[in-house]
Amino acid sequence: MKIAVLGGDGFVGWPTVLHLSDLGHDVHIIDNLSRRWIDTELGVQSLTPMDSIQERCRIWKEVTGRTLKFHLLDLAKEYERLKAWLVEYQPEAIIHFAEQRAAPYSMKTDRHKVYTVNNNVSATHNLLAAVVESGIDPHIVHLGTMGVYGYSSVGAAIPEGYLDVEIKNLAGEKKGLEILYPTRPGSVYHMTKSLDQILFQFYAQNDGLRITDLHQGIVWGTHTEQTRRHEQLINRFDYDGDYGTVLNRFLIQAAIGYPLTVHGTGGQTRAFIHIQDSVRCIELALSDAPQHGDRVKIFNQMTETHRVRDLANMIARLTGAQVMNLPNPRKEAAENDLIVKNDQFLALGLNPITLETGLMSEVVEVAKRYAHRIDRSRVPAVSAWTKDIAATVNHDPEGKRLKSVV
């Protein structure tokens, strides 16, 4: 197929591009490279050294003989260019990763909140409107998040997208109704993903767009089969308090002798998926496209759940690292359960990668190899959800800042 990967320069986008190209698809990358500009804004860099997207594509061609095409385009701001691109290239599938993906970044300041909403919601709506107006019929696959559900639980498994409910009509009769599973976003970022769901629902029912929405867990790991083929194909790896995912951050902290920073009680339960499984799920979703007139197909893209403190203790046993409990910069419950159904991907043939010691050790080894690139001052998570919480945040877990003798 001819596939457009929107946000194909990103953390999940790049390994997905390589995976799909390796399968023989004609892959086009559309990206405005905003994630690289955010690195500059934050004064931090990927743990792993990243070449330009053009150089990455050149190396892939050299290694495999397969061509990747890169198009510099801002989905949120360049609607007419996007529509013209769709008319010209006629992609059969569109993978939509082109959103600001970090909850902490979305909560840093009012400016970051506004940027996240403008970028994410406009990018999604521009894509849907442009597909309708261009007259093409691609399968749209969107990377959402399990976080739209707010990590709360009533003791029942979160279904894959839809919930059957009963309501009483005016005559007092019980009637069945299928609704989107209620969202309870815990950040502005998660709120934009909740809004995406409504946009997808409307365009599927109004214009017959064929859409799959993947509610993904937290991604961990470094390599996929394709990124191992050449050092310059390595994926980006975020360790900072805004973009680093919790398990990867713990493994990096262990590698550099930094305390494993557990915020609050560590009783927050999260869903996880390895980066190799993430790209495999994209492949499986593409093979199971909805038909015209179908509701949006929703998958829970995760393979296991763990409490944060259990992960920290597991890594502490593996590496000898120290665990440190710090005030939580997020506004969330101290403890929660998370029970999730992921039957659809298992039925399609996913053989999940779980938290194996070998794979975790691989991450630690990568971190040790590039430890000289780590700015330890960027490791703490300090973006607070409210002004009151901000006053409690610990900016110096190691206690290394100069202290007054007075």
Side-chain angles (χ1 to χ4, degrees):
M1 288 191 294
K2 182 182 291 184
I3 301 175
V5 181
L6 317 181
D9 187 47
F11 173 51
V12 182
W14 175 244
T16 299
V17 163
L18 299 188
H19 184 79
L20 295 177
S21 177
D22 207 31
L23 292 172
H25 298 293
D26 177 14
V27 180
H28 293 251
I29 300 167
I30 294 181
D31 205 303
N32 68 351
L33 306 182
S34 60
R35 182 64 189 89
R36 294 177 184 251
W37 283 105
I38 290 173
D39 277 344
T40 302
E41 175 203 345
L42 297 178
V44 71
Q45 61 184 349
S46 166
L47 169 71
T48 50
M50 288 171 55
D51 286 311
S52 69
I53 184 62
Q54 292 88 348
E55 178 67 4
R56 284 171 140 188
C57 294
R58 185 189 71 80
I59 293 295
W60 180 247
K61 171 81 170 181
E62 185 178 282
V63 170
T64 67
R66 299 188 182 279
T67 300
L68 298 172
K69 296 99 173 176
F70 169 64
H71 310 269
L72 183 65
L73 196 157
D74 190 324
L75 270 71
K77 297 179 180 178
E78 298 181 293
Y79 173 76
E80 293 298 335
R81 281 193 63 211
L82 170 62
K83 186 169 63 174
W85 189 93
L86 293 174
V87 170
E88 179 179 357
Y89 287 94
Q90 304 273 316
E92 298 161 83
I94 299 173
I95 317 297
H96 178 21
F97 296 125
E99 295 178 274
Q100 192 290 107
R101 68 170 177 85
Y105 183 85
S106 77
M107 301 297 289
K108 287 181 78 67
T109 67
D110 58 342
R111 178 176 66 83
H112 294 88
K113 293 174 182 178
V114 169
Y115 167 74
T116 300
V117 171
N118 288 346
N119 182 80
N120 292 8
V121 179
S122 292
T124 296
H125 186 255
N126 283 354
L127 170 65
L128 298 173
V131 167
V132 171
E133 290 304 309
S134 65
I136 63 174
D137 180 33
H139 175 201
I140 299 171
V141 179
H142 171 255
L143 193 68
T145 170
M146 286 297 304
V148 296
Y149 301 129
Y151 298 110
S152 61
S153 173
V154 293
I158 293 175
E160 300 201 79
Y162 298 94
L163 183 66
D164 292 321
V165 299
E166 281 190 345
I167 59 174
K168 284 186 179 181
N169 63 16
L170 294 177
E173 301 167 324
K174 290 184 178 180
K175 297 292 183 180
L177 185 67
E178 182 186 71
I179 63 172
L180 283 171
Y181 192 86
T183 66
R184 193 180 180 185
S187 73
V188 167
Y189 157 72
H190 292 111
M191 182 183 68
T192 65
K193 294 292 190 175
S194 300
L195 295 172
D196 284 343
Q197 286 195 112
I198 305 300
L199 291 171
F200 295 143
Q201 185 182 51
F202 173 78
Y203 276 94
Q205 70 187 23
N206 192 70
D207 298 285
L209 296 193
R210 300 183 298 123
I211 302 171
T212 298
D213 197 10
L214 307 176
H215 290 178
Q216 181 164 260
I218 296 170
V219 182
W220 70 282
T222 49
H223 284 296
T224 63
E225 178 187 341
Q226 291 76 29
T227 62
R228 287 188 177 94
R229 294 185 188 176
H230 193 285
E231 186 172 9
Q232 288 175 270
L233 296 176
I234 196 166
N235 197 22
R236 75 171 297 123
F237 197 98
D238 300 305
Y239 67 88
D240 63 287
D242 285 320
Y243 276 88
T245 60
V246 62
L247 179 54
N248 277 354
R249 277 169 48 77
F250 281 167
L251 292 167
I252 286 175
Q253 288 170 343
I256 65 173
Y258 198 101
L260 307 186
T261 50
V262 175
H263 294 99
T265 66
Q268 310 92 340
T269 304
R270 301 287 194 252
F272 293 88
I273 185 169
H274 189 270
I275 187 69
Q276 182 69 65
D277 276 345
S278 185
V279 300
R280 171 70 173 141
C281 285
I282 300 294
E283 174 195 346
L284 293 172
L286 283 172
S287 70
D288 191 43
Q291 301 299 311
H292 283 288
D294 287 354
R295 68 183 187 180
V296 178
K297 184 169 286 190
I298 300 176
F299 292 83
N300 287 336
Q301 187 164 307
M302 49 71 65
T303 55
E304 56 192 320
T305 60
H306 296 276
R307 290 190 186 276
V308 171
R309 61 171 172 252
D310 295 337
L311 286 178
N313 291 332
M314 182 192 312
I315 294 165
R317 288 193 298 271
L318 176 68
T319 64
Q322 173 193 358
V323 178
M324 179 180 290
N325 285 79
L326 299 177
N328 192 351
R330 300 186 181 218
K331 187 175 183 178
E332 61 183 350
E335 305 272 335
N336 75 281
D337 295 315
L338 185 64
I339 309 167
V340 183
K341 287 186 177 181
N342 64 343
D343 301 338
Q344 293 185 90
F345 273 132
L346 297 178
L348 289 174
L350 178 67
N351 184 21
I353 295 170
T354 54
L355 292 180
E356 301 170 10
T357 300
L359 286 173
M360 289 195 291
S361 297
E362 174 190 281
V363 178
V364 173
E365 289 305 311
V366 170
K368 288 180 177 177
R369 179 179 180 185
Y370 296 109
H372 61 283
R373 293 174 55 84
I374 294 176
D375 179 351
R376 296 175 78 98
S377 70
R378 302 297 179 178
V379 173
V382 298
S383 294
W385 263 229
T386 69
K387 293 178 180 179
D388 290 340
I389 293 174
T392 70
V393 170
N394 187 336
H395 290 253
D396 185 26
E398 293 187 291
K400 291 189 173 181
R401 291 191 178 174
L402 293 176
K403 296 180 175 62
S404 172
V405 296
V406 178

